Amino acid sequence: MSTKTSLSPVIILVQPQMGENIGATARIMSNFDLDDLRIVAPRDGWPNPKADETARNGKFIVDKARIFPSLQEAAADLNQLYAATARPRDMVKPAITPRETAKACQSHIANGSKCGFVFGPERSGLTNQDVAFCDVVVTVPVSETNASLNLGQAVAILSYEWFALQESGLQPKSELDYAQKASKSEISGFFEHLTNVLDKADYFKVPEKRERMLLNIQNMFLRADMTDQDVRTLRGILTILAGR
Amino acid sequence: MSTKTSLSPVIILVQPQMGENIGATARIMSNFDLDDLRIVAPRDGWPNPKADETARNGKFIVDKARIFPSLQEAAADLNQLYAATARPRDMVKPAITPRETAKACQSHIANGSKCGFVFGPERSGLTNQDVAFCDVVVTVPVSETNASLNLGQAVAILSYEWFALQESGLQPKSELDYAQKASKSEISGFFEHLTNVLDKADYFKVPEKRERMLLNIQNMFLRADMTDQDVRTLRGILTILAGR
């Protein structure tokens, strides 16, 4: 079970392409009192002079940003991930607005969970795999004729909604009472375990369908909002079944 | 009295310095179905290749943007102006949030008024004179330690609130029933008339205090939400008093 170490959501940029957008992200984070920036495999390496230059008063956030090889590792200590994506996805996962995200995130944090807002690369957005690893899809309402948001502005809107909610002094509603959730590293370990067990059991008869089936299975489990106890229980079941 | 020709707010950039921010403004406008961009005296002239480049799908908005020498001229056909500024101003003028701005603007538009969101230069923000010319101050809630918002991101947040309100399907509340307001060119004409009259009457005994006194007078009149009939009435009074 994770302890309450962060009172604000973490921002995770997955494979960002442009240093300017990393800088813009750090700058707007400092405008909204966020300071934990994590970057997965930045295209142009790290450090990035363009990021330093455009961050302005948010330079200290660039300086202490942490680099990870994968979303799984970047989010290992987090409990609840919100995937920012404009494109409709062929998977069953709740999709909410930035405003709803701020409220949900506040409730999770009040219950001791750690949350992350996850953004994909500029050109392509998050992969299906990365979206599947997240709990909820966040979609900024945009024009039907131009749904392509700049990365820095997408971060601005989600961060703004978070800050505006804190400023409004609204308390999380009592009916939104989330139980303490499993950490992402516990979830990752469970999915890995499950995939191994399914592969060994020759569960995926048609190789072309394997990936899609795995995503659907992951989504199903994620919708269950598992606690760490749930994960331990499931892994115990897997161990027993695989050993038969 | 202006006719209902625009259903969305106009974006006015006053003396923007960086082409990148003009492009970012056009891009986010197209994300949120805004298309009337007006630019007052851009620092680097016009057209601006950097603006073209960063506008992406919003390039058509850059292409049809109009250039003006002053805010007064850029806003001549508008009725209600919202001045985006983070810095507290030494003048009595209502200050509201972006969310309140979207609602107020929607009500004005429903009553046939045309609205504009006004943004100042990156480094210095709007001058006191420009703020005084606007009806309402909009302040994005930001961190106490870093209140300096990037221009493109400030435009993003106001435009987002406008679009989110349209998407929510909320109608303007009936109690917010604004009368048809005077146009900005009528207001400008009145202030010019008034200033001339006061100067000729040697009203400003202390030259150093003239500007501040004029701003306070303008603010007082703007808070009155004058109709075009009000302006004609006041100018009639001025003409009569000045002719004594």
Side-chain angles (χ1 to χ4, degrees), chain A residues 27 30-33 57 99 141-143 146 148 150 152-153 160-161 163, chain B residues 27 30-33 57 99 141-143 146 148 150 152-153 160-161 163:
Chain A
R27 179 173 176 176
S30 84
N31 288 135
F32 294 131
D33 283 343
N57 293 342
R99 197 160 302 165
V142 283
S143 169
N146 180 14
S148 165
N150 166 264
Q153 291 178 318
Y160 158 73
E161 284 285 7
F163 191 82
Chain B
R27 179 173 178 177
S30 85
N31 287 137
F32 294 132
D33 282 344
N57 293 340
R99 197 159 301 166
V142 283
S143 170
N146 180 14
S148 164
N150 165 265
Q153 292 178 318
Y160 158 73
E161 283 285 5
F163 190 81

PDB file of all heavy atoms in Angstrom, chain A residues 27 30-33 57 99 141-143 146 148 150 152-153 160-161 163, chain B residues 27 30-33 57 99 141-143 146 148 150 152-153 160-161 163:
ATOM      1  N   ARG A  27       6.740  24.818 -17.550  1.00  0.00           N
ATOM      2  CA  ARG A  27       6.331  26.186 -17.221  1.00  0.00           C
ATOM      3  C   ARG A  27       4.906  26.212 -16.681  1.00  0.00           C
ATOM      4  O   ARG A  27       4.634  26.826 -15.652  1.00  0.00           O
ATOM      5  CB  ARG A  27       6.447  27.066 -18.468  1.00  0.00           C
ATOM      6  CG  ARG A  27       6.020  28.499 -18.185  1.00  0.00           C
ATOM      7  CD  ARG A  27       6.279  29.416 -19.354  1.00  0.00           C
ATOM      8  NE  ARG A  27       5.755  30.746 -19.058  1.00  0.00           N
ATOM      9  CZ  ARG A  27       5.889  31.796 -19.845  1.00  0.00           C
ATOM     10  NH1 ARG A  27       6.551  31.691 -20.979  1.00  0.00           N
ATOM     11  NH2 ARG A  27       5.378  32.967 -19.496  1.00  0.00           N
ATOM     12  N   SER A  30       4.491  24.820 -13.197  1.00  0.00           N
ATOM     13  CA  SER A  30       4.846  25.729 -12.104  1.00  0.00           C
ATOM     14  C   SER A  30       3.766  26.791 -11.908  1.00  0.00           C
ATOM     15  O   SER A  30       3.544  27.263 -10.804  1.00  0.00           O
ATOM     16  CB  SER A  30       6.221  26.356 -12.330  1.00  0.00           C
ATOM     17  OG  SER A  30       6.154  27.484 -13.159  1.00  0.00           O
ATOM     18  N   ASN A  31       3.055  27.148 -12.996  1.00  0.00           N
ATOM     19  CA  ASN A  31       1.925  28.069 -12.846  1.00  0.00           C
ATOM     20  C   ASN A  31       0.819  27.469 -11.966  1.00  0.00           C
ATOM     21  O   ASN A  31       0.053  28.186 -11.333  1.00  0.00           O
ATOM     22  CB  ASN A  31       1.301  28.403 -14.202  1.00  0.00           C
ATOM     23  CG  ASN A  31       2.154  29.311 -15.072  1.00  0.00           C
ATOM     24  OD1 ASN A  31       2.312  29.064 -16.268  1.00  0.00           O
ATOM     25  ND2 ASN A  31       2.709  30.364 -14.487  1.00  0.00           N
ATOM     26  N   PHE A  32       0.731  26.146 -11.980  1.00  0.00           N
ATOM     27  CA  PHE A  32      -0.370  25.489 -11.278  1.00  0.00           C
ATOM     28  C   PHE A  32       0.112  24.612 -10.118  1.00  0.00           C
ATOM     29  O   PHE A  32      -0.568  23.655  -9.725  1.00  0.00           O
ATOM     30  CB  PHE A  32      -1.225  24.688 -12.271  1.00  0.00           C
ATOM     31  CG  PHE A  32      -1.940  25.568 -13.269  1.00  0.00           C
ATOM     32  CD1 PHE A  32      -1.900  25.292 -14.624  1.00  0.00           C
ATOM     33  CD2 PHE A  32      -2.644  26.687 -12.842  1.00  0.00           C
ATOM     34  CE1 PHE A  32      -2.558  26.106 -15.556  1.00  0.00           C
ATOM     35  CE2 PHE A  32      -3.293  27.511 -13.748  1.00  0.00           C
ATOM     36  CZ  PHE A  32      -3.260  27.232 -15.097  1.00  0.00           C
ATOM     37  N   ASP A  33       1.283  24.956  -9.570  1.00  0.00           N
ATOM     38  CA  ASP A  33       1.792  24.290  -8.360  1.00  0.00           C
ATOM     39  C   ASP A  33       1.950  22.781  -8.497  1.00  0.00           C
ATOM     40  O   ASP A  33       1.796  22.053  -7.513  1.00  0.00           O
ATOM     41  CB  ASP A  33       0.910  24.622  -7.139  1.00  0.00           C
ATOM     42  CG  ASP A  33       1.182  26.020  -6.591  1.00  0.00           C
ATOM     43  OD1 ASP A  33       2.241  26.596  -6.932  1.00  0.00           O
ATOM     44  OD2 ASP A  33       0.334  26.531  -5.822  1.00  0.00           O
ATOM     45  N   ASN A  57      10.171  30.233 -15.750  1.00  0.00           N
ATOM     46  CA  ASN A  57      10.108  30.060 -14.300  1.00  0.00           C
ATOM     47  C   ASN A  57       9.903  28.598 -13.876  1.00  0.00           C
ATOM     48  O   ASN A  57       9.946  28.302 -12.685  1.00  0.00           O
ATOM     49  CB  ASN A  57       8.981  30.920 -13.714  1.00  0.00           C
ATOM     50  CG  ASN A  57       9.270  32.407 -13.850  1.00  0.00           C
ATOM     51  OD1 ASN A  57      10.416  32.801 -14.072  1.00  0.00           O
ATOM     52  ND2 ASN A  57       8.234  33.227 -13.734  1.00  0.00           N
ATOM     53  N   ARG A  99     -12.454  18.331 -16.384  1.00  0.00           N
ATOM     54  CA  ARG A  99     -13.067  18.772 -15.123  1.00  0.00           C
ATOM     55  C   ARG A  99     -13.403  17.575 -14.239  1.00  0.00           C
ATOM     56  O   ARG A  99     -13.165  17.590 -13.033  1.00  0.00           O
ATOM     57  CB  ARG A  99     -14.318  19.624 -15.409  1.00  0.00           C
ATOM     58  CG  ARG A  99     -14.779  20.438 -14.234  1.00  0.00           C
ATOM     59  CD  ARG A  99     -15.663  21.602 -14.658  1.00  0.00           C
ATOM     60  NE  ARG A  99     -14.965  22.470 -15.594  1.00  0.00           N
ATOM     61  CZ  ARG A  99     -15.564  23.381 -16.352  1.00  0.00           C
ATOM     62  NH1 ARG A  99     -16.878  23.559 -16.277  1.00  0.00           N
ATOM     63  NH2 ARG A  99     -14.862  24.121 -17.175  1.00  0.00           N
ATOM     64  N   PRO A 141     -12.689  18.380 -24.575  1.00  0.00           N
ATOM     65  CA  PRO A 141     -13.693  18.659 -25.609  1.00  0.00           C
ATOM     66  C   PRO A 141     -13.116  19.618 -26.645  1.00  0.00           C
ATOM     67  O   PRO A 141     -12.632  20.688 -26.285  1.00  0.00           O
ATOM     68  CB  PRO A 141     -14.842  19.317 -24.828  1.00  0.00           C
ATOM     69  CG  PRO A 141     -14.219  19.854 -23.580  1.00  0.00           C
ATOM     70  CD  PRO A 141     -13.060  18.952 -23.269  1.00  0.00           C
ATOM     71  N   VAL A 142     -13.117  19.212 -27.899  1.00  0.00           N
ATOM     72  CA  VAL A 142     -12.537  20.047 -28.966  1.00  0.00           C
ATOM     73  C   VAL A 142     -13.434  20.044 -30.202  1.00  0.00           C
ATOM     74  O   VAL A 142     -14.355  19.245 -30.317  1.00  0.00           O
ATOM     75  CB  VAL A 142     -11.132  19.551 -29.406  1.00  0.00           C
ATOM     76  CG1 VAL A 142     -10.064  19.941 -28.419  1.00  0.00           C
ATOM     77  CG2 VAL A 142     -11.155  18.064 -29.641  1.00  0.00           C
ATOM     78  N   SER A 143     -13.093  20.946 -31.105  1.00  0.00           N
ATOM     79  CA  SER A 143     -13.808  21.071 -32.370  1.00  0.00           C
ATOM     80  C   SER A 143     -13.797  19.765 -33.152  1.00  0.00           C
ATOM     81  O   SER A 143     -12.806  19.035 -33.145  1.00  0.00           O
ATOM     82  CB  SER A 143     -13.134  22.160 -33.201  1.00  0.00           C
ATOM     83  OG  SER A 143     -13.627  22.155 -34.515  1.00  0.00           O
ATOM     84  N   ASN A 146     -11.024  20.225 -35.906  1.00  0.00           N
ATOM     85  CA  ASN A 146      -9.607  20.202 -35.553  1.00  0.00           C
ATOM     86  C   ASN A 146      -9.432  19.709 -34.131  1.00  0.00           C
ATOM     87  O   ASN A 146      -9.440  20.484 -33.179  1.00  0.00           O
ATOM     88  CB  ASN A 146      -8.967  21.582 -35.730  1.00  0.00           C
ATOM     89  CG  ASN A 146      -7.483  21.568 -35.369  1.00  0.00           C
ATOM     90  OD1 ASN A 146      -6.878  20.508 -35.238  1.00  0.00           O
ATOM     91  ND2 ASN A 146      -6.903  22.744 -35.195  1.00  0.00           N
ATOM     92  N   SER A 148      -6.728  18.141 -33.044  1.00  0.00           N
ATOM     93  CA  SER A 148      -5.319  17.966 -32.732  1.00  0.00           C
ATOM     94  C   SER A 148      -4.799  19.070 -31.829  1.00  0.00           C
ATOM     95  O   SER A 148      -4.451  20.157 -32.274  1.00  0.00           O
ATOM     96  CB  SER A 148      -4.521  17.934 -34.043  1.00  0.00           C
ATOM     97  OG  SER A 148      -3.145  18.116 -33.779  1.00  0.00           O
ATOM     98  N   ASN A 150      -2.178  20.900 -29.310  1.00  0.00           N
ATOM     99  CA  ASN A 150      -0.750  21.008 -28.981  1.00  0.00           C
ATOM    100  C   ASN A 150      -0.498  20.380 -27.606  1.00  0.00           C
ATOM    101  O   ASN A 150      -1.315  20.536 -26.687  1.00  0.00           O
ATOM    102  CB  ASN A 150      -0.353  22.491 -28.998  1.00  0.00           C
ATOM    103  CG  ASN A 150       1.001  22.740 -28.344  1.00  0.00           C
ATOM    104  OD1 ASN A 150       1.069  23.089 -27.181  1.00  0.00           O
ATOM    105  ND2 ASN A 150       2.066  22.534 -29.088  1.00  0.00           N
ATOM    106  N   GLY A 152       1.658  21.041 -25.155  1.00  0.00           N
ATOM    107  CA  GLY A 152       1.759  21.981 -24.041  1.00  0.00           C
ATOM    108  C   GLY A 152       0.401  22.550 -23.636  1.00  0.00           C
ATOM    109  O   GLY A 152       0.144  22.806 -22.461  1.00  0.00           O
ATOM    110  N   GLN A 153      -0.486  22.733 -24.617  1.00  0.00           N
ATOM    111  CA  GLN A 153      -1.799  23.278 -24.306  1.00  0.00           C
ATOM    112  C   GLN A 153      -2.711  22.225 -23.693  1.00  0.00           C
ATOM    113  O   GLN A 153      -3.542  22.534 -22.840  1.00  0.00           O
ATOM    114  CB  GLN A 153      -2.389  23.939 -25.557  1.00  0.00           C
ATOM    115  CG  GLN A 153      -1.585  25.212 -25.901  1.00  0.00           C
ATOM    116  CD  GLN A 153      -2.041  25.917 -27.154  1.00  0.00           C
ATOM    117  OE1 GLN A 153      -2.344  25.288 -28.152  1.00  0.00           O
ATOM    118  NE2 GLN A 153      -2.061  27.243 -27.115  1.00  0.00           N
ATOM    119  N   TYR A 160      -4.755  23.190 -15.367  1.00  0.00           N
ATOM    120  CA  TYR A 160      -5.630  24.304 -14.981  1.00  0.00           C
ATOM    121  C   TYR A 160      -6.856  23.797 -14.234  1.00  0.00           C
ATOM    122  O   TYR A 160      -7.232  24.346 -13.186  1.00  0.00           O
ATOM    123  CB  TYR A 160      -6.053  25.076 -16.230  1.00  0.00           C
ATOM    124  CG  TYR A 160      -7.308  25.887 -16.066  1.00  0.00           C
ATOM    125  CD1 TYR A 160      -7.319  27.060 -15.312  1.00  0.00           C
ATOM    126  CD2 TYR A 160      -8.509  25.473 -16.634  1.00  0.00           C
ATOM    127  CE1 TYR A 160      -8.475  27.795 -15.141  1.00  0.00           C
ATOM    128  CE2 TYR A 160      -9.673  26.196 -16.471  1.00  0.00           C
ATOM    129  CZ  TYR A 160      -9.655  27.354 -15.723  1.00  0.00           C
ATOM    130  OH  TYR A 160     -10.818  28.066 -15.547  1.00  0.00           O
ATOM    131  N   GLU A 161      -7.492  22.739 -14.754  1.00  0.00           N
ATOM    132  CA  GLU A 161      -8.691  22.216 -14.085  1.00  0.00           C
ATOM    133  C   GLU A 161      -8.355  21.721 -12.684  1.00  0.00           C
ATOM    134  O   GLU A 161      -9.128  21.907 -11.751  1.00  0.00           O
ATOM    135  CB  GLU A 161      -9.325  21.091 -14.907  1.00  0.00           C
ATOM    136  CG  GLU A 161     -10.111  21.581 -16.124  1.00  0.00           C
ATOM    137  CD  GLU A 161     -11.463  22.197 -15.755  1.00  0.00           C
ATOM    138  OE1 GLU A 161     -11.757  22.373 -14.558  1.00  0.00           O
ATOM    139  OE2 GLU A 161     -12.230  22.516 -16.688  1.00  0.00           O
ATOM    140  N   PHE A 163      -5.885  22.834 -10.727  1.00  0.00           N
ATOM    141  CA  PHE A 163      -5.615  23.987  -9.864  1.00  0.00           C
ATOM    142  C   PHE A 163      -6.895  24.756  -9.537  1.00  0.00           C
ATOM    143  O   PHE A 163      -7.113  25.180  -8.405  1.00  0.00           O
ATOM    144  CB  PHE A 163      -4.588  24.904 -10.524  1.00  0.00           C
ATOM    145  CG  PHE A 163      -4.063  25.972  -9.614  1.00  0.00           C
ATOM    146  CD1 PHE A 163      -3.039  25.696  -8.718  1.00  0.00           C
ATOM    147  CD2 PHE A 163      -4.593  27.250  -9.646  1.00  0.00           C
ATOM    148  CE1 PHE A 163      -2.566  26.685  -7.865  1.00  0.00           C
ATOM    149  CE2 PHE A 163      -4.118  28.247  -8.793  1.00  0.00           C
ATOM    150  CZ  PHE A 163      -3.094  27.956  -7.891  1.00  0.00           C
TER     151      PHE A 163
ATOM    152  N   ARG B  27      -3.847  28.224 -33.524  1.00  0.00           N
ATOM    153  CA  ARG B  27      -4.051  26.779 -33.456  1.00  0.00           C
ATOM    154  C   ARG B  27      -5.097  26.413 -32.406  1.00  0.00           C
ATOM    155  O   ARG B  27      -6.024  25.634 -32.674  1.00  0.00           O
ATOM    156  CB  ARG B  27      -2.720  26.076 -33.135  1.00  0.00           C
ATOM    157  CG  ARG B  27      -2.876  24.583 -33.017  1.00  0.00           C
ATOM    158  CD  ARG B  27      -1.546  23.878 -32.864  1.00  0.00           C
ATOM    159  NE  ARG B  27      -1.787  22.438 -32.701  1.00  0.00           N
ATOM    160  CZ  ARG B  27      -0.830  21.520 -32.606  1.00  0.00           C
ATOM    161  NH1 ARG B  27       0.421  21.897 -32.684  1.00  0.00           N
ATOM    162  NH2 ARG B  27      -1.125  20.245 -32.457  1.00  0.00           N
ATOM    163  N   SER B  30      -8.664  27.291 -33.399  1.00  0.00           N
ATOM    164  CA  SER B  30      -9.330  26.338 -34.294  1.00  0.00           C
ATOM    165  C   SER B  30      -9.739  25.076 -33.540  1.00  0.00           C
ATOM    166  O   SER B  30     -10.747  24.456 -33.865  1.00  0.00           O
ATOM    167  CB  SER B  30      -8.453  26.015 -35.509  1.00  0.00           C
ATOM    168  OG  SER B  30      -7.536  24.998 -35.220  1.00  0.00           O
ATOM    169  N   ASN B  31      -8.995  24.723 -32.476  1.00  0.00           N
ATOM    170  CA  ASN B  31      -9.413  23.596 -31.643  1.00  0.00           C
ATOM    171  C   ASN B  31     -10.755  23.875 -30.967  1.00  0.00           C
ATOM    172  O   ASN B  31     -11.497  22.955 -30.660  1.00  0.00           O
ATOM    173  CB  ASN B  31      -8.381  23.323 -30.537  1.00  0.00           C
ATOM    174  CG  ASN B  31      -7.096  22.687 -31.033  1.00  0.00           C
ATOM    175  OD1 ASN B  31      -6.017  23.079 -30.623  1.00  0.00           O
ATOM    176  ND2 ASN B  31      -7.190  21.698 -31.920  1.00  0.00           N
ATOM    177  N   PHE B  32     -11.027  25.153 -30.730  1.00  0.00           N
ATOM    178  CA  PHE B  32     -12.224  25.509 -29.966  1.00  0.00           C
ATOM    179  C   PHE B  32     -13.232  26.317 -30.792  1.00  0.00           C
ATOM    180  O   PHE B  32     -14.036  27.087 -30.247  1.00  0.00           O
ATOM    181  CB  PHE B  32     -11.825  26.246 -28.674  1.00  0.00           C
ATOM    182  CG  PHE B  32     -11.071  25.356 -27.708  1.00  0.00           C
ATOM    183  CD1 PHE B  32      -9.894  25.780 -27.121  1.00  0.00           C
ATOM    184  CD2 PHE B  32     -11.543  24.095 -27.387  1.00  0.00           C
ATOM    185  CE1 PHE B  32      -9.187  24.967 -26.239  1.00  0.00           C
ATOM    186  CE2 PHE B  32     -10.866  23.266 -26.498  1.00  0.00           C
ATOM    187  CZ  PHE B  32      -9.684  23.703 -25.926  1.00  0.00           C
ATOM    188  N   ASP B  33     -13.189  26.138 -32.104  1.00  0.00           N
ATOM    189  CA  ASP B  33     -14.182  26.733 -33.011  1.00  0.00           C
ATOM    190  C   ASP B  33     -14.267  28.262 -32.927  1.00  0.00           C
ATOM    191  O   ASP B  33     -15.340  28.838 -33.129  1.00  0.00           O
ATOM    192  CB  ASP B  33     -15.573  26.117 -32.789  1.00  0.00           C
ATOM    193  CG  ASP B  33     -15.696  24.735 -33.443  1.00  0.00           C
ATOM    194  OD1 ASP B  33     -14.838  24.417 -34.302  1.00  0.00           O
ATOM    195  OD2 ASP B  33     -16.635  24.007 -33.101  1.00  0.00           O
ATOM    196  N   ASN B  57      -3.048  23.363 -37.996  1.00  0.00           N
ATOM    197  CA  ASN B  57      -4.406  23.352 -38.557  1.00  0.00           C
ATOM    198  C   ASN B  57      -5.130  24.689 -38.388  1.00  0.00           C
ATOM    199  O   ASN B  57      -6.233  24.857 -38.909  1.00  0.00           O
ATOM    200  CB  ASN B  57      -5.237  22.238 -37.922  1.00  0.00           C
ATOM    201  CG  ASN B  57      -4.725  20.857 -38.293  1.00  0.00           C
ATOM    202  OD1 ASN B  57      -4.006  20.707 -39.285  1.00  0.00           O
ATOM    203  ND2 ASN B  57      -5.093  19.844 -37.522  1.00  0.00           N
ATOM    204  N   ARG B  99     -13.943  30.842 -16.113  1.00  0.00           N
ATOM    205  CA  ARG B  99     -15.240  30.145 -16.162  1.00  0.00           C
ATOM    206  C   ARG B  99     -16.388  31.146 -16.090  1.00  0.00           C
ATOM    207  O   ARG B  99     -17.373  31.037 -16.828  1.00  0.00           O
ATOM    208  CB  ARG B  99     -15.329  29.130 -15.012  1.00  0.00           C
ATOM    209  CG  ARG B  99     -16.424  28.102 -15.205  1.00  0.00           C
ATOM    210  CD  ARG B  99     -16.186  26.861 -14.365  1.00  0.00           C
ATOM    211  NE  ARG B  99     -14.917  26.252 -14.693  1.00  0.00           N
ATOM    212  CZ  ARG B  99     -14.301  25.320 -13.950  1.00  0.00           C
ATOM    213  NH1 ARG B  99     -14.866  24.882 -12.845  1.00  0.00           N
ATOM    214  NH2 ARG B  99     -13.125  24.848 -14.319  1.00  0.00           N
ATOM    215  N   PRO B 141      -6.704  31.703 -12.368  1.00  0.00           N
ATOM    216  CA  PRO B 141      -6.134  31.359 -11.056  1.00  0.00           C
ATOM    217  C   PRO B 141      -4.800  30.657 -11.241  1.00  0.00           C
ATOM    218  O   PRO B 141      -4.724  29.664 -11.953  1.00  0.00           O
ATOM    219  CB  PRO B 141      -7.179  30.414 -10.450  1.00  0.00           C
ATOM    220  CG  PRO B 141      -7.940  29.858 -11.613  1.00  0.00           C
ATOM    221  CD  PRO B 141      -7.910  30.930 -12.673  1.00  0.00           C
ATOM    222  N   VAL B 142      -3.749  31.208 -10.651  1.00  0.00           N
ATOM    223  CA  VAL B 142      -2.410  30.628 -10.794  1.00  0.00           C
ATOM    224  C   VAL B 142      -1.666  30.621  -9.473  1.00  0.00           C
ATOM    225  O   VAL B 142      -2.094  31.250  -8.509  1.00  0.00           O
ATOM    226  CB  VAL B 142      -1.530  31.408 -11.809  1.00  0.00           C
ATOM    227  CG1 VAL B 142      -1.903  31.086 -13.235  1.00  0.00           C
ATOM    228  CG2 VAL B 142      -1.600  32.899 -11.537  1.00  0.00           C
ATOM    229  N   SER B 143      -0.555  29.909  -9.474  1.00  0.00           N
ATOM    230  CA  SER B 143       0.308  29.797  -8.309  1.00  0.00           C
ATOM    231  C   SER B 143       0.764  31.171  -7.822  1.00  0.00           C
ATOM    232  O   SER B 143       1.031  32.061  -8.628  1.00  0.00           O
ATOM    233  CB  SER B 143       1.532  28.969  -8.693  1.00  0.00           C
ATOM    234  OG  SER B 143       2.499  29.025  -7.673  1.00  0.00           O
ATOM    235  N   ASN B 146       4.453  31.563  -9.163  1.00  0.00           N
ATOM    236  CA  ASN B 146       4.712  31.799 -10.583  1.00  0.00           C
ATOM    237  C   ASN B 146       3.424  32.141 -11.302  1.00  0.00           C
ATOM    238  O   ASN B 146       2.703  31.269 -11.787  1.00  0.00           O
ATOM    239  CB  ASN B 146       5.391  30.593 -11.244  1.00  0.00           C
ATOM    240  CG  ASN B 146       5.663  30.833 -12.725  1.00  0.00           C
ATOM    241  OD1 ASN B 146       5.580  31.965 -13.204  1.00  0.00           O
ATOM    242  ND2 ASN B 146       5.975  29.779 -13.453  1.00  0.00           N
ATOM    243  N   SER B 148       3.260  34.051 -13.997  1.00  0.00           N
ATOM    244  CA  SER B 148       3.530  34.449 -15.371  1.00  0.00           C
ATOM    245  C   SER B 148       3.143  33.354 -16.363  1.00  0.00           C
ATOM    246  O   SER B 148       3.881  32.407 -16.596  1.00  0.00           O
ATOM    247  CB  SER B 148       5.023  34.771 -15.505  1.00  0.00           C
ATOM    248  OG  SER B 148       5.386  34.803 -16.868  1.00  0.00           O
ATOM    249  N   ASN B 150       2.294  31.735 -20.006  1.00  0.00           N
ATOM    250  CA  ASN B 150       2.617  31.859 -21.428  1.00  0.00           C
ATOM    251  C   ASN B 150       1.373  32.359 -22.174  1.00  0.00           C
ATOM    252  O   ASN B 150       0.241  31.960 -21.871  1.00  0.00           O
ATOM    253  CB  ASN B 150       3.056  30.488 -21.960  1.00  0.00           C
ATOM    254  CG  ASN B 150       3.061  30.414 -23.470  1.00  0.00           C
ATOM    255  OD1 ASN B 150       2.096  29.969 -24.068  1.00  0.00           O
ATOM    256  ND2 ASN B 150       4.134  30.875 -24.094  1.00  0.00           N
ATOM    257  N   GLY B 152       0.178  31.842 -25.241  1.00  0.00           N
ATOM    258  CA  GLY B 152      -0.613  30.817 -25.926  1.00  0.00           C
ATOM    259  C   GLY B 152      -1.424  29.973 -24.953  1.00  0.00           C
ATOM    260  O   GLY B 152      -2.539  29.552 -25.254  1.00  0.00           O
ATOM    261  N   GLN B 153      -0.865  29.730 -23.781  1.00  0.00           N
ATOM    262  CA  GLN B 153      -1.574  28.917 -22.802  1.00  0.00           C
ATOM    263  C   GLN B 153      -2.684  29.703 -22.115  1.00  0.00           C
ATOM    264  O   GLN B 153      -3.733  29.150 -21.789  1.00  0.00           O
ATOM    265  CB  GLN B 153      -0.574  28.312 -21.809  1.00  0.00           C
ATOM    266  CG  GLN B 153       0.306  27.270 -22.537  1.00  0.00           C
ATOM    267  CD  GLN B 153       1.364  26.634 -21.666  1.00  0.00           C
ATOM    268  OE1 GLN B 153       2.004  27.320 -20.895  1.00  0.00           O
ATOM    269  NE2 GLN B 153       1.574  25.344 -21.823  1.00  0.00           N
ATOM    270  N   TYR B 160     -10.794  27.404 -24.004  1.00  0.00           N
ATOM    271  CA  TYR B 160     -11.283  26.110 -23.520  1.00  0.00           C
ATOM    272  C   TYR B 160     -12.550  26.290 -22.685  1.00  0.00           C
ATOM    273  O   TYR B 160     -13.535  25.568 -22.854  1.00  0.00           O
ATOM    274  CB  TYR B 160     -10.194  25.426 -22.694  1.00  0.00           C
ATOM    275  CG  TYR B 160     -10.696  24.381 -21.731  1.00  0.00           C
ATOM    276  CD1 TYR B 160     -11.156  23.143 -22.191  1.00  0.00           C
ATOM    277  CD2 TYR B 160     -10.742  24.635 -20.362  1.00  0.00           C
ATOM    278  CE1 TYR B 160     -11.642  22.194 -21.300  1.00  0.00           C
ATOM    279  CE2 TYR B 160     -11.219  23.689 -19.476  1.00  0.00           C
ATOM    280  CZ  TYR B 160     -11.672  22.469 -19.947  1.00  0.00           C
ATOM    281  OH  TYR B 160     -12.157  21.538 -19.063  1.00  0.00           O
ATOM    282  N   GLU B 161     -12.532  27.275 -21.780  1.00  0.00           N
ATOM    283  CA  GLU B 161     -13.713  27.484 -20.936  1.00  0.00           C
ATOM    284  C   GLU B 161     -14.919  27.862 -21.790  1.00  0.00           C
ATOM    285  O   GLU B 161     -16.042  27.437 -21.516  1.00  0.00           O
ATOM    286  CB  GLU B 161     -13.448  28.564 -19.874  1.00  0.00           C
ATOM    287  CG  GLU B 161     -12.598  28.086 -18.701  1.00  0.00           C
ATOM    288  CD  GLU B 161     -13.366  27.174 -17.724  1.00  0.00           C
ATOM    289  OE1 GLU B 161     -14.533  26.832 -17.989  1.00  0.00           O
ATOM    290  OE2 GLU B 161     -12.764  26.807 -16.701  1.00  0.00           O
ATOM    291  N   PHE B 163     -15.475  27.013 -24.977  1.00  0.00           N
ATOM    292  CA  PHE B 163     -15.917  25.845 -25.730  1.00  0.00           C
ATOM    293  C   PHE B 163     -16.583  24.812 -24.809  1.00  0.00           C
ATOM    294  O   PHE B 163     -17.614  24.235 -25.151  1.00  0.00           O
ATOM    295  CB  PHE B 163     -14.728  25.210 -26.464  1.00  0.00           C
ATOM    296  CG  PHE B 163     -15.134  24.151 -27.447  1.00  0.00           C
ATOM    297  CD1 PHE B 163     -15.582  24.500 -28.712  1.00  0.00           C
ATOM    298  CD2 PHE B 163     -15.077  22.804 -27.115  1.00  0.00           C
ATOM    299  CE1 PHE B 163     -15.964  23.528 -29.637  1.00  0.00           C
ATOM    300  CE2 PHE B 163     -15.455  21.827 -28.030  1.00  0.00           C
ATOM    301  CZ  PHE B 163     -15.897  22.191 -29.290  1.00  0.00           C
TER     302      PHE B 163
END
